[in-house]
Amino acid sequence: MATQQTVKVQLVRSPIGTKVDHRATVRGLGLRRLNSVSELQDTPAVRGMINKISYLVKVL
């Protein structure tokens, strides 16, 4: 049994004033308010989402 790798992401900048699809990506990662943290499975799809909004989030 292999354990799933996870990645923690924290929202460090407000998505107000950003593109609509970037705001949707923030919500898709499960981030709601500033400094909220979400623990997600480390998959290529999640990595791509993090890369898309890298200026808004911090990987812990």
Side-chain angles (χ1 to χ4, degrees):
M1 286 275 216
T3 59
Q4 288 287 337
Q5 295 287 356
T6 60
V7 60
K8 282 189 177 181
V9 183
Q10 180 179 19
L11 186 64
V12 294
R13 288 192 61 197
S14 174
I16 295 173
T18 61
K19 294 181 177 181
V20 175
D21 59 323
H22 288 203
R23 279 179 275 175
T25 304
V26 169
R27 294 291 293 134
L29 288 173
L31 301 168
R32 291 182 175 266
R33 60 183 70 88
L34 212 54
N35 293 321
S36 63
V37 177
S38 183
E39 188 168 356
L40 307 156
Q41 290 184 1
D42 192 8
T43 62
V46 170
R47 284 287 175 173
M49 292 169 77
I50 292 169
N51 193 34
K52 182 176 183 177
I53 58 166
S54 62
Y55 64 100
L56 295 175
V57 296
K58 177 172 67 172
V59 177
L60 303 175

